[in-house]
Amino acid sequence: MTTLTAFQAWLADCSAVIEQQAEHLTELDRAIGDGDHGTNMARGFRRCAELAEEEQFASIDAYLKKVGMTLVGTVGGASGPLYGTFFLRLAGPLSAAPDVDARPLAQALRAGVDGIVARGRAEVGDKTMYDAFAPALEAFESALAAGSGTAECLRAAAEAAARGRDGTEPLVARKGRASYLGERSAGHVDPGASSAVLILEAAARTLG
Amino acid sequence: MTTLTAFQAWLADCSAVIEQQAEHLTELDRAIGDGDHGTNMARGFRRCAELAEEEQFASIDAYLKKVGMTLVGTVGGASGPLYGTFFLRLAGPLSAAPDVDARPLAQALRAGVDGIVARGRAEVGDKTMYDAFAPALEAFESALAAGSGTAECLRAAAEAAARGRDGTEPLVARKGRASYLGERSAGHVDPGASSAVLILEAAARTLG
Amino acid sequence: MQKLLNDPADVVVEALAGMAAAHPDDLLVDMEQRVVSRRGGPVRGKVGLVSGGGSGHEPLHAGYVGPGMLDAACCGEVFTSPVPDQFVTALRTADGGAGVLHVVKNYTGDVLNAEMAAELLATEDGPQVEIVVTDDDVAVQDSLYTAGRRGVGGTVLLEKVVGAAAEEGRDLSGCAELARDVNARTRSMGVALGPCTVPAAGVPTFELEEGQMELGVGIHGEPGRRRVPLGTAREIAAALVEPVVADLGLRRGDAVVTLLNGMGGTPLLELYLMFNEVRAVLDAAGVTVARSLVGNYITSLEMAGCSVTLLRADDEVVRLWDAPVATPGLRWGA
Amino acid sequence: MQKLLNDPADVVVEALAGMAAAHPDDLLVDMEQRVVSRRGGPVRGKVGLVSGGGSGHEPLHAGYVGPGMLDAACCGEVFTSPVPDQFVTALRTADGGAGVLHVVKNYTGDVLNAEMAAELLATEDGPQVEIVVTDDDVAVQDSLYTAGRRGVGGTVLLEKVVGAAAEEGRDLSGCAELARDVNARTRSMGVALGPCTVPAAGVPTFELEEGQMELGVGIHGEPGRRRVPLGTAREIAAALVEPVVADLGLRRGDAVVTLLNGMGGTPLLELYLMFNEVRAVLDAAGVTVARSLVGNYITSLEMAGCSVTLLRADDEVVRLWDAPVATPGLRWGA
Ligand SMILES: Nc1ncnc2c1ncn2[C@@H]1O[C@H](COP(=O)(O)OP(=O)(O)O)[C@@H](O)[C@H]1O
Ligand SMILES: Nc1ncnc2c1ncn2[C@@H]1O[C@H](COP(=O)(O)OP(=O)(O)O)[C@@H](O)[C@H]1O
Ligand SMILES: [Mg+2]
Ligand SMILES: [Mg+2]
Ligand SMILES: [Mg+2]
Ligand SMILES: [Mg+2]
């Protein structure tokens, strides 16, 4: 069963790994975007990691809502509303629960990913973070259907996300800033797909 | 005896050699000035070289006056008025003469160099073109006093000018743009002193 | 990184502090929300005009706050859209009771954050807000399946023209209609001759060998659609103007407002030279330049290069163009 | 060389053609002599105000032609003083019968060519001409044995203030006296963070390693007095402002007009940030900023960097500063 403490550990892990990978994310964004993805993400997740120290949260969903709002309020750019919406929606299926197992987590993940699509209207193959999230969600649900526990489901999700991220490399972008480059966007991994993998890998390390 | 044709050959020679050395002059000016001396000089002397084809001149002095006015009207910067004045004043002692020998040439050279000083108020050691012209004039006059002919006098002048130019290298500039650099102007040859040598060497080749 | 900076993370707030100090009589700066507004506050009964976006495009947008143009602008991090709270603050600040027109450049980040701001305001009984999205960059293909075209130089012209209409008392739906019309009759195309460096990144946004240029760039230091050999100003003018003329469907006898915009690092001397070539291309097409602007109006930090924006003009557009404007970045008649 | 150019030899004339096209109602351009003047011609009975110099400093000087400022300006090659004929034409063009004040920046080339122009006019019974030489750069020591200090940013402030006085009907000697007074109470200091490239030369004017800066630069892309490690904006502000304050002998309670000038290649974002630091240094010295300008006003092509100019202000200076001006480069109240 995953507790509030675990979710807080997740965000701490996200912040640490994003900070550490910020230059890499920015580098990816420099190639096909505007070179701010790492800075944006680090700014936002740093704030999120601080939340647990500043405030007592009554429940997982209250905490995740605050994370979402914090991301919306600090990241900016395209990724701010998208990741913000992801965490805001993640909270919904978890409301009130003091701890959760794999089933509500799957619902939450679906709600979060649906939120990204509702906001960004991306489809698979558009070369966005959705190209990591979509297979991750699918892998989580398959693992769950096959009887796996939270840890295993999350590991499957993170691995699928990484494959999805790698799959963005040859794609021509159709959404986000990279779409302005047309054919020239091919041959580069999408920065948002890369940060999505970092977040899901952190989940596998902390929520399982 | 030096004729109008020889003076016209002088300007043609000046133009050719300055064109060829323009990048070098600009390079020198880039180090301690604003990187336009070669361009300025080439623009002006190119126009001067064209004069002989465009117009019939009644006398040497009429021709040199036109050269001076052309330089004043096309070179710009510090060197335009200075070289312009040099050629305008050069004309004075040669007025009316159909051809000249070393004596009036010495007078003309003195008048020209005095003109540079009257305009620019430079002293020897200020790191300007005057550091080439002053020893050149002295050498010309000494050679003349020792009984040399025009060719020899001009050769002596050009050689002295070259030594004067080389002598500008260690100097700290007190006049012109290089003076703004203060101590940093030391260690570079003055561009105007370098172009003065080109002009006097051309004289030695053509007026002798 | 050769920049005038303290901590790169503070560049936007510190620049805003400088802006406040430089225009004490004209601008009010909310340092917390990074919102710049007219010192007099919103004009009662006038439609408020708001824009905002990432920083690094100065004078856009904060430099266009003032009588005749914007009522408020908010400033995101360099090349990063503001967050919804900033838009909310700017929209509230600009409301004089007649509603607010929110001009959003078409970038995913700007649009999403603006939409979230609108959602927040709707739940808070905030001012009535109409969003108009600018998307004038012909380098990018207009398509329903992509993010669409970028909003670039046309945004400046739109803010001027619609600002004048709002000042005249046009109502919110009238201003929105005008704004959409101006956007529809405006197209742009840009070229980069050198990159820029985002302070927080510290390295140039791309590398360009001598003798190459990036054709079809936006305003975020990004590479363009194609890297091609550096042309003469004449060739570049043709490469920029012709697609714009074609996309706008301009014909002999048409008139335009022309913006020859510097990207930030190209000297005015070159911009005037370019304008001469742009005008020659338009002359050849029989298109008249009714009004023009030459200079740095929507920049990409210190990027070298320029963009051309054409706005198909009629008497009404010219009249609104000529109306007084008094902002740090654009000023006449006042 | 990454520039918007056709033949580098034609950059000045082509830019002037663009300038004429961009300001058809306001400016008249003599393409032969490269003289820009007010379209209305000289104002009868008003003292004419003329300046000129090498190109590459845009908007200075041609961009300051218009009501409230210059009557005519002439444009030399890039970084090269105009020739006497150009000054003669500009001075004649500006003469409305009350004489002409000729503002010359203190460079050997500018001074010599201006002197020759004055000699030519004296023999031709041209207009009465007074020459005022600006020399506000404290980076260079003032000395009788050298070329003296350079004229830099102070020239812009002087042209504005004296332009207003001429517009009010002040006579030639009054304008000249005011101009000398303004020059005497103005000082500047500049810094370069990167070089520029003169089109005809094709290579940068100097090389600067990352992390270094040139302190005490002029406006001709030249190296400065000292190459020192690149400081923070805060440190640079102190290095620029303190010598200016000291040289002007400013004291607690004094007021100044401040120009925070960009050299051409530094984004406005950084200039505002710098202005914030400059103001902080002045605050600490108890000096009030009565008026300010932040932007590219006297440039060195696309050089990166900035300069600070302070003009000791009194009520009269502020009044003349606030008077209307309507030029491409500076405009308010009109
Ligand atoms: N419409 C969209 N749907 C999903 N993800 C998107 C969309 N547009 C952009 N993204 C993601 O956002 C990432 C860029 O984020 P970031 O660099 O922070 O914002 P910006 O593009 O505004 O600078 C892209 O790599 C992509 O994964
Ligand atoms: N006062 C002066 N007297 C004599 N020569 C001078 C004086 N000032 C400058 N010069 C000469 O002019 C040269 C520079 O010429 P140029 O580069 O064409 O003009 P500018 O300095 O205006 O760019 C210097 O190298 C120097 O020799
Ligand atoms: Mg980005
Ligand atoms: Mg020079
Ligand atoms: Mg961004
Ligand atoms: Mg020069």
Side-chain angles (χ1 to χ4, degrees):
Chain A
M1 297 297 274
T2 313
T3 61
L4 172 61
T5 314
F7 279 97
Q8 294 181 334
W10 178 28
L11 269 298
D13 190 327
C14 284
S15 174
V17 72
I18 284 169
E19 194 86 57
Q20 192 219 316
Q21 293 291 313
E23 269 193 42
H24 174 62
L25 293 175
T26 288
E27 191 59 37
L28 293 174
D29 196 32
R30 248 163 28 88
I32 57 170
D34 57 352
D36 60 358
H37 189 56
T39 325
N40 292 347
M41 294 293 282
R43 186 173 53 242
F45 280 85
R46 200 178 308 133
R47 275 298 296 131
C48 290
E50 291 162 0
L51 291 174
E53 291 154 42
E54 293 170 5
E55 208 177 314
Q56 291 280 46
F57 290 92
S59 62
I60 295 171
D61 75 313
Y63 175 66
L64 291 177
K65 274 208 182 96
K66 186 64 185 244
V67 167
M69 278 163 52
T70 302
L71 292 175
V72 168
T74 54
V75 176
S79 49
L82 292 166
Y83 279 120
T85 301
F86 174 76
F87 279 94
L88 284 169
R89 299 282 182 97
L90 209 57
L94 308 179
S95 49
D99 51 17
V100 297
D101 65 10
R103 194 157 306 276
L105 210 53
Q107 287 164 4
L109 191 60
R110 173 161 289 282
V113 174
D114 283 354
I116 288 175
V117 175
R119 270 270 155 249
R121 290 172 284 269
E123 293 172 22
V124 166
D126 280 356
K127 194 175 183 120
T128 71
M129 58 175 69
Y130 185 54
D131 288 334
F133 276 118
L137 174 62
E138 214 173 287
F140 192 109
E141 289 176 342
S142 302
L144 182 68
S148 304
T150 301
E152 223 169 307
C153 290
L154 283 168
R155 248 191 323 272
E159 279 161 18
R163 283 191 299 276
R165 171 201 61 200
D166 297 345
T168 62
E169 184 169 340
L171 299 175
V172 172
R174 280 192 302 255
K175 285 281 149 59
R177 231 169 251 295
S179 68
Y180 305 141
L181 282 179
E183 304 292 330
R184 290 177 85 180
S185 63
H188 300 273
V189 169
D190 178 62
S194 304
S195 56
V197 172
L198 298 181
I199 290 165
L200 291 166
E201 285 175 349
R205 281 192 294 270
T206 51
L207 302 181
Chain B
M1 299 297 272
T2 313
T3 61
L4 173 60
T5 313
F7 279 98
Q8 294 180 333
W10 179 28
L11 269 299
D13 191 325
C14 285
S15 174
V17 73
I18 285 169
E19 193 86 59
Q20 192 219 314
Q21 294 291 313
E23 269 193 41
H24 174 62
L25 294 175
T26 287
E27 192 60 36
L28 293 174
D29 196 32
R30 245 160 35 86
I32 55 170
D34 58 351
D36 61 357
H37 189 56
T39 324
N40 292 347
M41 294 293 283
R43 185 173 54 242
F45 281 85
R46 199 179 307 134
R47 273 299 295 133
C48 290
E50 291 163 1
L51 292 174
E53 291 155 40
E54 292 169 4
E55 208 178 314
Q56 291 280 47
F57 291 92
S59 61
I60 295 170
D61 76 313
Y63 175 66
L64 291 178
K65 275 210 181 95
K66 186 64 184 243
V67 167
M69 279 163 52
T70 302
L71 292 175
V72 168
T74 54
V75 176
S79 49
L82 291 166
Y83 279 120
T85 301
F86 174 76
F87 279 93
L88 284 169
R89 299 283 181 96
L90 210 56
L94 308 179
S95 49
D99 51 18
V100 297
D101 64 11
R103 195 157 305 272
L105 211 53
Q107 288 163 4
L109 191 59
R110 173 160 289 280
V113 174
D114 284 353
I116 288 175
V117 174
R119 270 268 155 252
R121 289 172 284 270
E123 293 172 20
V124 166
D126 280 357
K127 193 173 183 124
T128 72
M129 59 176 68
Y130 184 54
D131 288 333
F133 275 118
L137 174 61
E138 214 173 287
F140 192 109
E141 289 176 342
S142 302
L144 182 68
S148 304
T150 301
E152 224 168 306
C153 291
L154 282 169
R155 248 191 322 272
E159 281 161 17
R163 283 191 299 275
R165 172 201 62 200
D166 296 345
T168 63
E169 185 169 339
L171 298 177
V172 172
R174 281 192 302 256
K175 285 282 150 57
R177 232 170 249 295
S179 68
Y180 305 140
L181 283 179
E183 303 292 330
R184 290 178 85 180
S185 63
H188 301 274
V189 168
D190 178 62
S194 304
S195 57
V197 172
L198 298 181
I199 289 166
L200 290 166
E201 285 175 350
R205 283 191 294 270
T206 52
L207 301 181
Chain C
M1 169 174 46
Q2 297 296 97
K3 285 184 169 282
L4 298 166
L5 290 176
N6 296 307
D7 183 339
D10 299 332
V11 58
V12 175
V13 267
E14 292 186 3
L16 278 176
M19 199 173 188
H23 308 286
D25 299 335
D26 301 321
L27 300 182
L28 208 66
V29 181
D30 174 342
M31 295 295 294
E32 193 57 47
Q33 290 293 331
R34 304 179 190 184
V35 169
V36 176
S37 60
R38 300 190 196 178
R39 182 152 279 278
V43 183
R44 281 243 50 89
K46 186 184 88 68
V47 167
L49 196 58
V50 162
S51 195
S55 295
H57 310 302
E58 291 67 28
L60 186 91
H61 296 276
Y64 297 137
V65 170
M69 226 162 154
L70 300 181
D71 291 86
C74 56
C75 307
E77 293 294 324
V78 173
F79 294 168
T80 300
S81 158
V83 300
D85 275 357
Q86 294 183 274
F87 282 129
V88 165
T89 306
L91 291 163
R92 283 196 176 284
T93 303
D95 182 33
V100 183
L101 187 71
H102 186 181
V103 180
V104 178
K105 301 192 297 304
N106 188 34
Y107 298 96
T108 306
D110 296 65
V111 170
L112 295 186
N113 284 285
E115 281 173 3
M116 290 192 91
E119 290 165 19
L120 284 170
L121 277 177
T123 65
E124 287 176 16
D125 107 303
Q128 200 187 341
V129 175
E130 279 255 22
I131 293 183
V132 171
V133 177
T134 62
D135 63 342
D136 52 311
D137 187 351
V138 299
V140 179
Q141 238 190 323
D142 200 11
S143 154
L144 281 178
Y145 303 101
T146 68
R149 289 191 310 227
R150 295 175 284 219
V152 288
T155 316
V156 179
L157 306 187
L158 184 150
E159 289 176 4
K160 169 65 188 85
V161 169
V162 179
E167 219 72 48
E168 279 182 355
R170 200 167 303 197
D171 69 11
L172 182 56
S173 70
C175 285
E177 195 184 319
L178 174 66
R180 294 197 180 97
D181 179 46
V182 169
N183 181 60
R185 37 163 101 200
T186 304
R187 296 288 189 284
S188 300
M189 176 90 170
V191 67
L193 276 63
C196 58
T197 298
V198 175
V203 283
T205 49
F206 56 79
E207 260 139 55
L208 194 63
E209 317 84 80
E210 273 276 328
Q212 300 280 305
M213 64 183 185
E214 288 282 342
L215 197 62
V217 294
I219 51 168
H220 294 87
E222 70 271 53
R225 299 288 295 193
R226 290 186 293 137
R227 180 165 296 193
V228 297
L230 177 62
T232 62
R234 198 154 301 150
E235 290 160 352
I236 295 172
L240 296 183
V241 176
E242 281 164 7
V244 169
V245 166
D247 205 287
L248 269 180
L250 290 176
R251 293 152 174 268
R252 227 151 249 293
D254 283 347
V256 290
V257 176
T258 305
L259 166 61
L260 191 287
N261 174 62
M263 290 297 185
T266 284
L268 193 49
L269 187 76
E270 291 174 39
L271 297 180
Y272 272 125
L273 184 151
M274 258 318 277
F275 181 70
N276 190 42
E277 297 302 336
V278 164
R279 190 210 36 165
V281 178
L282 290 172
D283 270 2
V287 175
T288 312
V289 175
R291 295 292 183 272
S292 61
L293 274 185
V294 179
N296 292 338
Y297 291 98
I298 172 169
T299 58
S300 189
L301 292 173
E302 72 280 6
M303 184 180 253
C306 70
S307 63
V308 173
T309 300
L310 301 182
L311 156 60
R312 182 200 290 275
D314 55 20
D315 289 351
E316 176 71 349
V317 163
V318 170
R319 190 179 63 76
L320 292 168
W321 182 258
D322 288 343
V325 58
T327 73
L330 211 60
R331 182 161 194 153
W332 56 72
Chain D
M1 170 174 45
Q2 297 295 96
K3 286 184 169 282
L4 298 166
L5 289 176
N6 295 306
D7 183 338
D10 299 333
V11 58
V12 175
V13 268
E14 293 186 3
L16 279 175
M19 199 173 188
H23 308 285
D25 299 334
D26 301 320
L27 300 181
L28 207 66
V29 181
D30 173 343
M31 295 295 293
E32 194 56 49
Q33 290 294 330
R34 305 178 189 184
V35 169
V36 176
S37 60
R38 300 190 196 178
R39 181 152 280 279
V43 183
R44 281 244 51 88
K46 186 184 89 68
V47 168
L49 196 59
V50 163
S51 196
S55 295
H57 310 301
E58 291 66 26
L60 184 94
H61 295 277
Y64 297 136
V65 171
M69 226 162 153
L70 300 181
D71 292 86
C74 56
C75 308
E77 292 294 325
V78 174
F79 295 167
T80 301
S81 159
V83 301
D85 275 357
Q86 294 182 272
F87 282 129
V88 165
T89 305
L91 291 163
R92 284 195 175 286
T93 303
D95 182 33
V100 183
L101 187 71
H102 186 182
V103 179
V104 178
K105 301 192 297 304
N106 188 34
Y107 299 96
T108 306
D110 295 66
V111 170
L112 295 186
N113 284 285
E115 281 173 3
M116 290 191 92
E119 290 165 19
L120 284 169
L121 276 177
T123 66
E124 286 177 17
D125 106 302
Q128 202 189 339
V129 175
E130 280 254 21
I131 293 183
V132 171
V133 177
T134 62
D135 63 343
D136 52 311
D137 187 350
V138 299
V140 179
Q141 238 191 323
D142 200 11
S143 154
L144 281 178
Y145 303 101
T146 68
R149 289 191 310 228
R150 294 174 285 217
V152 287
T155 316
V156 179
L157 305 187
L158 185 151
E159 290 175 5
K160 169 66 187 83
V161 169
V162 179
E167 219 72 49
E168 279 183 355
R170 201 167 304 197
D171 69 10
L172 182 56
S173 70
C175 286
E177 196 184 319
L178 175 65
R180 294 197 181 97
D181 178 46
V182 170
N183 180 60
R185 38 164 102 202
T186 304
R187 296 287 188 284
S188 300
M189 176 89 171
V191 67
L193 276 62
C196 58
T197 298
V198 175
V203 283
T205 50
F206 56 80
E207 261 140 53
L208 193 63
E209 318 85 77
E210 273 275 329
Q212 300 280 306
M213 64 183 185
E214 288 282 343
L215 197 62
V217 294
I219 52 168
H220 294 88
E222 69 272 54
R225 298 288 295 194
R226 291 187 293 138
R227 179 166 296 194
V228 296
L230 177 61
T232 62
R234 197 153 302 148
E235 291 160 352
I236 295 173
L240 296 183
V241 176
E242 282 163 7
V244 170
V245 166
D247 205 287
L248 268 181
L250 290 175
R251 292 151 175 270
R252 227 152 249 293
D254 283 347
V256 291
V257 176
T258 305
L259 166 62
L260 192 286
N261 174 62
M263 290 296 186
T266 285
L268 193 49
L269 188 74
E270 292 174 39
L271 297 180
Y272 273 125
L273 184 151
M274 259 316 278
F275 181 70
N276 189 42
E277 297 302 335
V278 164
R279 190 210 35 164
V281 178
L282 291 173
D283 269 2
V287 175
T288 312
V289 175
R291 295 292 183 272
S292 61
L293 274 184
V294 180
N296 292 337
Y297 291 98
I298 172 169
T299 58
S300 189
L301 292 171
E302 72 279 8
M303 183 180 254
C306 70
S307 62
V308 173
T309 300
L310 301 183
L311 156 59
R312 182 201 289 275
D314 55 20
D315 289 351
E316 175 71 349
V317 163
V318 170
R319 191 180 62 76
L320 293 168
W321 182 257
D322 287 344
V325 58
T327 73
L330 210 60
R331 182 162 193 152
W332 55 72

